Amino acid sequence: MDESKNKAAIDALNRIMELELAGVVKYTHYALMVYGYHRIPIVSWMKSNADESLAHAHKAGELVTLLGGHPSLKIGSLLETEKHDIGDILRESLEHEKSALAAYYGLLKIVEGHSVLLEEYARDMIVNEELHQDEVNKMLRRPGETAAFKE
């Protein structure tokens, strides 16, 4: 990749790292705020998402250093809505997943045709994020509903 593409890819990867680190904090917080009959499986799912976000942040950081960049010490937005109903938490989670997906598509746009490694990474992460969105979307549906959840 030329120098400008390399810098753009590093910036995109740092943005991804920041978003994924914010995901660690958000999912950890959400796991602590789940109450009710279905608490145990939902908390387990949230903790798993936090762990996965940390792994994603680490991978993005590794790619930053592979490109000769410096991994960001910043973290993405952490807006506290004070809404802790499971539906509110899942809607916030869905918004977070949409932001992450957009960041991975942004990286793909930068590297497409310039780096097979980064293209494949971006594509794999896009698949992963789209599957996460689907999981959350299904969790937001009422039992028996087959149509996709819409606000």
Side-chain angles (χ1 to χ4, degrees):
M1 283 192 301
D2 67 32
E3 191 59 37
S4 67
K5 287 280 184 196
N6 195 69
K7 182 177 178 345
I10 289 169
D11 291 345
L13 286 162
N14 270 324
R15 174 74 179 126
I16 287 166
M17 189 173 166
E18 293 167 9
L19 280 167
E20 293 290 4
L21 287 173
V24 173
V25 174
K26 288 177 182 182
Y27 282 117
T28 299
H29 175 77
Y30 296 156
L32 296 169
M33 297 309 301
V34 174
Y35 297 96
Y37 296 117
H38 303 291
R39 182 177 196 283
I40 292 172
I42 294 171
V43 166
S44 177
W45 182 79
M46 293 286 181
K47 286 180 178 180
S48 174
N49 281 344
D51 291 343
E52 189 172 294
S53 288
L54 183 57
H56 291 175
H58 187 264
K59 179 66 175 177
E62 288 288 352
L63 291 170
V64 167
T65 60
L66 178 142
L67 295 174
H70 185 270
S72 175
L73 277 174
K74 296 177 186 173
I75 190 165
S77 175
L78 293 172
L79 179 64
E80 169 61 71
T81 63
E82 301 292 334
K83 295 179 180 177
H84 298 113
D85 173 80
I86 191 63
D88 294 326
I89 289 171
L90 289 172
R91 282 185 284 282
E92 285 180 33
S93 175
L94 190 59
E95 287 307 309
H96 174 75
E97 297 295 337
K98 287 179 182 178
S99 295
L101 181 62
Y104 286 111
Y105 269 111
L107 174 64
L108 180 59
K109 186 176 179 181
I110 293 165
V111 301
E112 203 163 26
H114 301 284
S115 170
V116 172
L117 170 73
L118 293 174
E119 274 188 54
E120 291 302 313
Y121 164 75
R123 290 177 195 283
D124 286 346
M125 296 309 296
I126 287 167
V127 168
N128 194 308
E129 295 299 332
E130 286 184 353
L131 290 172
H132 274 279
Q133 279 188 16
D134 183 56
E135 280 181 338
V136 176
N137 187 287
K138 287 176 181 174
M139 290 172 77
L140 283 164
R141 297 178 198 177
R142 295 187 194 283
E145 286 185 7
T146 57
F149 172 79
K150 292 182 182 156
E151 294 270 349

